[in-house]
Amino acid sequence: MTSTEQVPAQRAVTSAPIAEVTAQMREIGATLPRQDGVAVFNRVYLSVTEELERRLVAGHFEDRAATGELGTRFARRFLDAVDAEAAGLRMPSCWRPLFRFRRHPSIHPLQFALAGINAHIGHDLPLALVDTCRAVDADPDDLEADFERIGELLTGLEERIREDLMPGPDLLDVADPLTHLIGSWSLERARAGAWVSFRALWGLRVCGELVEEMAEGLDATVGMAGRCLLTPLWH
């Protein structure tokens, strides 16, 4: 099964309201221990999706239909990873580090949050953008303005995550390994890379095996970065 396919049931190819995926994320949060790494990311992502839903209702985006489609397809790639893990199926490489190390006692919650964001932005977002363009018969240029608006939402979220999950100054100094690790990853760079990957995948969409190979390479690379973000640091 290629990285552009969804497990276990190709759910990403059908549209559903944002409210449906936020409901599913609330269900996930209710069933997992708070310190579980997947639960940590799920809380972060739920807050993003709820804010996206509010902004859609408020008319914040130029094309609410396309943005809603993107938000739903994007979220379903995370939900499909949850379903795959529960069913014992193979999930994309980008998600494996988070699910494998989700209960590791020496990994800080901030690392779990960033590893999930890395997987979702670096791999899932380009593929969700491609799926959205196909679904709404749009070109990349048609989505760019609203992509930037979503980026503003994500940037504010990253700041809040770091404030909420970062240890206080009494436990952390500039030489601390966690400071070094999180400083090596940037949401803005990841988001810019996702847009470039999307444009490349879209340009290669008629090339069959080549686009699949590129998607698989992207999946593996993002997974490797996620594994580095989850380096155990605490004793």
Side-chain angles (χ1 to χ4, degrees), residues 102-164:
R102 61 194 293 177
R103 298 180 181 90
H104 199 297
S106 298
I107 296 177
H108 191 273
L110 180 57
Q111 293 173 261
F112 289 132
L114 293 183
I117 296 170
N118 171 71
H120 207 36
I121 298 293
H123 173 264
D124 292 353
L125 182 54
L127 299 182
L129 283 161
V130 169
D131 289 344
T132 299
C133 277
R134 286 173 172 158
V136 302
D137 193 23
D139 291 320
D141 290 346
D142 299 326
L143 302 183
E144 188 167 10
D146 285 335
F147 178 83
E148 292 301 324
R149 290 182 174 88
I150 294 173
E152 295 168 7
L153 187 162
L154 294 173
T155 299
L157 173 75
E158 183 188 31
E159 295 171 357
R160 189 162 71 247
I161 291 169
R162 292 176 186 263
E163 290 173 1
D164 291 347

Side-chain angles (χ1 to χ4, degrees), residues 36-205:
D36 182 284
V38 175
V40 172
F41 170 72
N42 185 71
R43 288 195 298 275
V44 167
Y45 190 34
L46 175 59
S47 68
V48 173
T49 312
E50 288 174 334
E51 180 61 24
L52 176 62
E53 185 178 1
R54 284 191 288 269
R55 296 190 185 194
L56 282 168
V57 172
H60 182 75
F61 299 99
E62 288 184 5
D63 189 337
R64 284 189 287 180
T67 303
E69 184 82 15
L70 173 60
T72 300
R73 289 174 179 273
F74 186 35
R76 286 194 174 279
R77 288 187 173 268
F78 164 60
L79 296 174
D80 285 342
V82 173
D83 284 351
E85 197 258 355
L89 299 176
R90 184 177 179 86
M91 68 180 65
S93 298
C94 62
W95 284 110
R96 288 177 207 155
L98 178 61
F99 282 81
R100 179 181 177 186
F101 295 101
R102 61 194 293 177
R103 298 180 181 90
H104 199 297
S106 298
I107 296 177
H108 191 273
L110 180 57
Q111 293 173 261
F112 289 132
L114 293 183
I117 296 170
N118 171 71
H120 207 36
I121 298 293
H123 173 264
D124 292 353
L125 182 54
L127 299 182
L129 283 161
V130 169
D131 289 344
T132 299
C133 277
R134 286 173 172 158
V136 302
D137 193 23
D139 291 320
D141 290 346
D142 299 326
L143 302 183
E144 188 167 10
D146 285 335
F147 178 83
E148 292 301 324
R149 290 182 174 88
I150 294 173
E152 295 168 7
L153 187 162
L154 294 173
T155 299
L157 173 75
E158 183 188 31
E159 295 171 357
R160 189 162 71 247
I161 291 169
R162 292 176 186 263
E163 290 173 1
D164 291 347
L165 297 180
M166 193 74 171
D170 55 327
L171 298 177
L172 193 65
D173 59 40
V174 292
D176 190 279
L178 182 60
T179 303
H180 174 79
L181 187 65
I182 65 171
S184 67
W185 190 88
S186 161
L187 174 60
E188 185 59 30
R189 290 196 299 270
R191 196 173 64 84
W195 184 258
V196 172
S197 296
F198 157 53
R199 294 296 297 258
L201 288 166
W202 183 252
L204 293 171
R205 66 191 182 280

Side-chain angles (χ1 to χ4, degrees), residues 200-224:
L201 288 166
W202 183 252
L204 293 171
R205 66 191 182 280
V206 297
C207 296
E209 290 185 5
L210 182 58
V211 72
E212 293 297 338
E213 289 176 7
M214 180 176 175
E216 290 170 2
L218 178 66
D219 186 22
T221 301
V222 173
M224 181 171 59

